[in-house]
Amino acid sequence: MHDDLIARAKAWLAEDPDQETRDELAGLIDAGDTAELSDRFAGTLQFGTAGLRGELGAGPMRMNRGVVIRAAAGLAAYLRKRGQGDGLVVIGYDARHKSADFARDTAAVMTGAGLRAAVLPRPLPTPVLAFAIRHLGAVAGVEVTASHNPPRDNGYKVYLGDGSQIVPPADAEIAAEIDAIASLHDVPRPDAGWEVLDDSVLDAYLARTDAVLAADSPRTARTVYTAMHGVGKDVLLAAFARAGFPEPVLVAEQAEPDPDFPTVAFPNPEEPGAMDLAFARARATGPDLVIANDPDADRCAVAVKDGADWRMLRGDEVGALLAAHLVRRGATGTFAESIVSSSLLGRIAGKAGLPYEETLTGFKWIARVDGLRYGYEEALGYCVDPEGVRDKDGITAALLITELASVLKEQGRTLLDLLDDLAVEHGLHATDQLSVRVQDLSLIADAMRRLREHPPAELAGLPVTNAEDLARGTAELPPTDGLRYTLEGARVIVRPSGTEPKLKCYLEVVVPVSAQAGLPSARARAAELLTAVKRDLSAAAGI
């Protein structure tokens, strides 16, 4: 086993085009570090919820130029087999370590395979790439990003010509083409021949952002904005200026791209502490709301003044607010969300007489819903202009929530007042997450097995009325590794994360409210139920 491992590592080293990872791997081989080598050669990175994603480093289980060249060659072979061998592939990238290198390698591989390749002019938000695919009539697109993962990670998202991310069976077919590549030496990579786009694609995207707003809406809400050390700032400021909103006050320490993300432990607005600097800026300047993008600006976080201080709205709260705003504006078409998002969206759509659909987790599924008008996911992802961008878009979502805040401001009201209205109208929908990050992935498999073998009969004293193993699929959903429990007045979904080493449990309780006066006691009851559901679920899963 040891000799085989060293032989595989040396074979990889002989092909590695990057001096940095070559030196790293040679060092591991020389040191005879079999534990580290075993980890790096335990398999190959696989397409998860959002493409390939992993830590930067040498070997097939890390993100590096060798892995990226193989992925690009596999995608090119897949496109050629589908008769699209002369098509255009658009490539975007963020400001993480190695992103520009991975984008250039992808362009070289596509060019070498006979496809036409075009690279965005500089690091730009992921939604600009998703827009560019449809705008330019490309057969595929690639975005080099690890979104909100830690600084040492990078990733590779693949889109097809419809502008949405790949789903089965395309992911498995592309993976098979990647596996079929015997040697990197067989992959032609010319030094030139692709196009570097100018700003016209970005200008077309920005022109399209106006379409998400009502022509005569008020534009008065004042914002504090953080780009979370990512690539969102310039595009968001340009979109806000075009729309005529007051210029957002920037969180200066996080405004410019920085691949080391020095001010946050995790560059994800949902993580504890990530919004601290934004809240400090808000306390100093008193805006109407705080807006944050994640580093590739496809997600949008919103915070509001709640009593004496600021608090982040949950993705489900923003999802419902945007839906209510679109309904009030007379939107037509299907409203969609993933199964882990709040059931409130279904109630809002139902009351408005609009079609509603639930999908598996991930925007690659939401974007494919027929007749989609609006889609959202609880992890701060919102698609408010599906004709322009078939993916989550943190720029247009920021515009739309700021329009809504402006409308309410003119009425002397806030986003929290509208959330209260929705609770009285549809019941108080309170959501929470139990998320367990692990070093050892087998702990996640153990927890899932325990729940499958011994499903809970009740949680928080509420009887489980239906326990579904989503691995079997349902009438509406293809199979996925997840469990769904329906309770009287509550719902729980448990699934392994598709992008991080986490077990995620999504909890929702619904407490009826007859009038505004009943809201405080309904909130207290909901908080009590969520705490009890978390406790009982942890015990049942053994986490």
Side-chain angles (χ1 to χ4, degrees):
M1 171 63 201
H2 172 262
D3 292 346
D4 172 55
L5 178 62
I6 297 295
R8 281 190 292 140
K10 284 183 171 171
W12 184 274
L13 178 64
E15 294 189 351
D16 191 334
D18 187 328
Q19 193 59 51
E20 199 178 323
T21 44
R22 285 172 65 84
D23 292 347
E24 183 188 322
L25 186 52
L28 293 172
I29 294 169
D30 291 345
D33 190 342
T34 48
E36 185 65 25
L37 288 169
S38 297
D39 185 40
R40 291 169 183 240
F41 286 84
T44 54
L45 287 182
Q46 298 297 318
F47 287 105
T49 308
L52 301 172
R53 209 177 278 184
E55 195 174 331
L56 289 164
M61 287 297 287
R62 297 286 186 271
M63 280 299 296
N64 52 64
R65 290 184 60 201
V67 163
V68 164
I69 290 165
R70 285 173 184 276
L75 174 59
Y78 169 83
L79 293 169
R80 287 169 68 171
K81 279 195 178 162
R82 296 188 53 185
Q84 297 176 319
D86 57 352
L88 172 69
V89 178
V90 198
I91 301 147
Y93 59 104
D94 67 12
R96 283 178 179 263
H97 293 296
K98 298 281 186 188
S99 286
D101 296 344
F102 295 166
R104 189 177 191 281
D105 280 331
T106 302
V109 170
M110 294 302 162
T111 304
L115 287 126
R116 291 178 294 128
V119 185
L120 292 181
R122 59 185 169 280
L124 285 167
T126 294
V128 177
L129 181 273
F131 167 81
I133 295 165
R134 289 164 65 81
H135 179 68
L136 297 173
V139 295
V142 169
E143 175 71 21
V144 180
T145 180
S147 190
H148 57 280
N149 274 39
R152 63 180 182 274
D153 288 5
N154 212 326
Y156 200 80
K157 286 185 180 182
V158 177
Y159 298 75
L160 293 181
D162 62 355
S164 48
Q165 290 180 53
I166 55 171
V167 294
D171 53 1
E173 289 168 15
I174 294 168
E177 297 292 349
I178 295 170
D179 291 343
I181 296 157
S183 164
L184 282 193
H185 299 312
D186 301 338
V187 180
R189 283 185 293 131
D191 290 332
W194 56 90
E195 181 186 359
V196 177
L197 295 163
D198 60 17
D199 274 0
S200 57
V201 168
L202 175 60
D203 294 341
Y205 168 83
L206 284 168
R208 175 99 212 163
T209 61
D210 303 352
V212 305
L213 303 173
D216 52 353
S217 61
R219 311 276 165 97
T220 52
R222 293 178 309 110
T223 54
V224 159
Y225 171 72
T226 175
M228 206 68 65
H229 298 296
V231 298
K233 180 196 71 166
D234 292 348
V235 178
L236 181 126
L237 290 180
F240 269 58
R242 284 183 68 100
F245 287 113
E247 185 176 347
V249 173
L250 298 179
V251 178
E253 303 93 325
Q254 299 175 334
E256 299 304 327
D258 186 332
D260 294 319
F261 305 104
T263 67
V264 289
F266 284 94
N268 177 355
E270 292 179 295
E271 293 280 348
M275 296 288 284
D276 288 357
L277 287 170
F279 290 166
R281 201 84 187 91
R283 288 181 204 113
T285 56
D288 297 299
L289 67 167
V290 174
I291 300 246
N293 284 139
D294 66 338
D296 69 326
D298 62 350
R299 295 168 192 240
C300 175
V302 180
V304 293
K305 188 90 180 282
D306 189 1
D309 208 359
W310 289 81
R311 83 164 170 96
M312 264 265 292
L313 293 178
R314 291 188 163 279
D316 284 320
E317 291 176 309
V318 177
L321 288 168
L322 291 174
H325 182 46
L326 289 170
V327 164
R328 193 192 59 81
R329 276 184 24 189
T332 57
T334 302
F335 280 30
E337 64 181 340
S338 62
I339 54 171
V340 298
S341 306
S342 169
S343 59
L344 178 55
L345 184 69
R347 293 199 162 90
I348 292 170
K351 181 144 192 195
L354 294 172
Y356 163 77
E357 267 192 54
E358 275 190 320
T359 73
L360 293 184
T361 311
F363 256 83
K364 59 186 183 183
W365 297 107
I366 295 170
R368 286 188 153 69
V369 166
D370 274 349
L372 181 67
R373 173 59 186 87
Y374 168 65
Y376 98 90
E377 188 152 73
E378 54 67 49
L380 312 183
Y382 314 94
C383 174
V384 300
D385 175 26
E387 283 309 297
V389 176
R390 290 261 167 111
D391 201 358
K392 53 188 180 288
D393 182 346
I395 306 291
T396 47
L399 287 171
L400 196 61
I401 198 75
T402 308
E403 176 183 66
L404 172 57
S406 301
V407 169
L408 292 166
K409 185 177 180 176
E410 303 292 294
Q411 301 165 359
R413 304 175 75 233
T414 68
L415 296 174
L416 292 178
D417 294 324
L418 180 51
L419 283 172
D420 287 350
D421 292 351
L422 292 172
V424 172
E425 191 174 355
H426 303 286
L428 177 72
H429 289 61
T431 56
D432 203 355
Q433 228 191 82
L434 173 63
S435 185
V436 185
R437 188 180 285 272
V438 299
Q439 292 293 304
D440 178 359
L441 285 174
S442 70
L443 296 174
I444 293 177
D446 291 346
M448 294 297 288
R449 190 182 63 247
R450 206 172 283 123
L451 288 169
R452 283 190 166 104
E453 288 171 2
H454 306 288
E458 63 168 42
L459 296 167
L462 304 171
V464 174
T465 54
N466 193 18
E468 297 168 277
D469 187 345
L470 299 175
R472 300 192 180 113
T474 70
E476 297 80 32
L477 300 168
T480 186
D481 186 10
L483 300 163
R484 176 162 60 180
Y485 303 116
T486 308
L487 301 93
E488 287 177 15
R491 184 209 65 196
V492 172
I493 289 173
V494 184
R495 62 180 275 273
S497 167
T499 53
E500 298 173 275
K502 281 182 176 180
L503 182 68
K504 291 187 160 183
C505 310
Y506 303 84
L507 325 173
E508 177 175 50
V509 298
V510 184
V511 180
V513 188
S514 52
Q516 292 273 349
L519 278 169
S521 62
R523 285 210 175 87
R525 172 69 179 145
E528 184 187 305
L529 279 172
L530 285 169
T531 302
V533 170
K534 264 190 191 176
R535 180 196 63 220
D536 293 356
L537 187 63
S538 290
I543 50 173

